[in-house]
Amino acid sequence: MIIGLIVGLSIPVGRYIAAVMAGKKVWLSAVLKPVEKRIYRVLGYQDTPAEMSGRQFVLAIVVFSLMSLFVVMGVLMTQQWLPFNPNHVHNVPWDLALNTAMSFVTNTDWQAYSGETAMSYLSQFAVLTTQNFASAAVGVAALLAVIRGFSRKESQTVGNFWVDITRFTLYVLVPLSIVLTLLMVSQGAVQNFAPNHVVQGILLPSGPASSQFAISLLGSNGGGFFGANAAALFHNPTGLSNLFESVAIVLLPAALVVMFGQMVGRRQAMVIYAVMLGLLVLAVIGTTLSELHLGQHVTDVAGSTALEGENVVNGIGLSALWNTLSTAVSNWSVNASLD
């Protein structure tokens, strides 16, 4: 069912992305086109920026990424003196700040900390969540430059970096993240600015978690607000939230293949899509069978098999599926610990 939803949604979403990135009018244009133009003016352009050469495009990526790196490091290293720090966390050491900044800027989101105890809310929503949007948009912009290089045999330009990241963020990432955040919150996922609570020695974390995790899933970032990622009930409380979030992991990677087909050729895209889907299905089958039959089973006093490292709401099947989907697109979010 989840794979069917991904396939069914990726086709219209991919066509929508292709239209957006080509500058065509879409159903959100009436609302977002004025915002897009205002962003260009803030960047110093009176109209839509002109296209760039390949060298200019790469230079823009490097400059933007370095600026992002320094901003993330700066906030993390000074967070205890900044607002939105109700849990009174300390500044992040420079080496961990550098590690985290490099990880988030490159869309890796490898985390050597637990967000609920090491990061202020400002660090979480102002720089890490923002960087989840930015790094995903940078990756898609680079993909678009490559696609245009294939499709424009005589052109000396590959698009404009600032236009690409603006349109993809504004028309694609932001609307989808808002929808996913609302769906997660409707199931009980955490989204507030209240401080953490300790009840009978157990930490009950709070914070603007759902908004960060939504873009983390959609943008193939994978980093979570909480150390346990989607294995924490505060991120993924119900079977329905697990459904929404599982679809979100692969939706945009699959849709970008459809976008490729719209821009270059459907035949090539169909081959790529079919191979990716086939490998994914095989991986899901193999992972699920391994969890069911090859792992170490632990039985309780009643003789039933315990779900070691897995939430009973999801069980073995949905735990294996999530981790396979996440690994397939290099998302690296988790909703369980597999054998």
Side-chain angles (χ1 to χ4, degrees), residues 56-129:
Q56 291 172 324
F57 204 101
V58 170
L59 180 61
I61 291 177
V62 172
V63 170
F64 182 78
S65 298
L66 286 175
M67 290 174 56
S68 300
L69 179 75
F70 293 134
V71 169
V72 174
M73 279 194 69
V75 173
L76 297 186
M77 293 173 63
T78 59
Q79 65 178 5
Q80 77 178 68
W81 303 311
L82 299 175
F84 296 102
N85 186 19
N87 298 315
H88 306 292
V89 297
H90 298 294
N91 294 333
V92 178
W94 74 267
D95 51 348
L96 179 57
L98 175 62
N99 179 290
T100 303
M102 293 175 66
S103 178
F104 274 75
V105 167
T106 58
N107 202 250
T108 307
D109 286 25
W110 182 79
Q111 295 173 281
Y113 61 88
S114 289
E116 60 264 49
T117 57
M119 297 292 169
S120 72
Y121 293 167
L122 183 73
S123 295
Q124 295 272 37
F125 77 79
V127 291
L128 299 184
T129 300

Side-chain angles (χ1 to χ4, degrees), residues 301-329:
V301 292
S304 62
T305 301
L307 296 171
E308 181 185 2
E310 293 162 3
N311 190 328
V312 293
V313 172
N314 300 323
I316 290 175
L318 294 179
S319 298
L321 175 63
W322 177 299
N323 284 271
T324 306
L325 294 173
S326 177
T327 305
V329 297

Side-chain angles (χ1 to χ4, degrees), residues 39-54:
I39 292 173
Y40 297 149
R41 291 194 184 99
V42 171
L43 292 173
Y45 299 98
Q46 294 301 316
D47 201 352
T48 303
E51 292 203 352
M52 298 174 167
S53 66

Side-chain angles (χ1 to χ4, degrees), residues 92-272:
V92 178
W94 74 267
D95 51 348
L96 179 57
L98 175 62
N99 179 290
T100 303
M102 293 175 66
S103 178
F104 274 75
V105 167
T106 58
N107 202 250
T108 307
D109 286 25
W110 182 79
Q111 295 173 281
Y113 61 88
S114 289
E116 60 264 49
T117 57
M119 297 292 169
S120 72
Y121 293 167
L122 183 73
S123 295
Q124 295 272 37
F125 77 79
V127 291
L128 299 184
T129 300
T130 300
Q131 198 53 51
N132 282 341
F133 282 95
S135 61
V138 169
V140 171
L143 170 65
L144 287 164
V146 173
I147 291 175
R148 294 180 186 123
F150 284 134
S151 59
R152 300 178 180 180
K153 299 185 184 300
E154 304 297 330
S155 176
Q156 299 298 312
T157 61
V158 292
N160 185 285
F161 171 75
W162 306 111
V163 172
D164 287 343
I165 64 170
T166 298
R167 286 177 176 168
F168 191 72
T169 301
L170 197 60
Y171 289 87
V172 181
L173 293 179
V174 170
L176 286 176
S177 295
I178 291 174
V179 171
L180 182 57
T181 299
L182 293 175
L183 290 173
M184 292 167 61
V185 171
S186 73
Q187 297 303 300
V190 171
Q191 180 70 20
N192 57 45
F193 285 94
N196 295 336
H197 298 280
V198 178
V199 179
Q200 295 182 350
I202 299 175
L203 176 66
L204 300 179
S206 295
S210 296
S211 54
Q212 177 175 333
F213 200 48
I215 182 56
S216 178
L217 296 172
L218 288 164
S220 286
N221 301 284
F225 192 93
F226 305 121
N229 209 266
L233 289 176
F234 307 99
H235 261 338
N236 187 19
T238 69
L240 197 54
S241 69
N242 191 79
L243 169 66
F244 299 143
E245 295 171 24
S246 296
V247 172
I249 292 172
V250 189
L251 176 59
L252 287 181
L256 290 174
V257 180
V258 178
M259 179 198 74
F260 174 80
Q262 295 291 112
M263 297 178 68
V264 176
R266 293 185 179 181
R267 181 175 298 179
Q268 297 96 320
M270 288 175 65
V271 172
I272 295 171

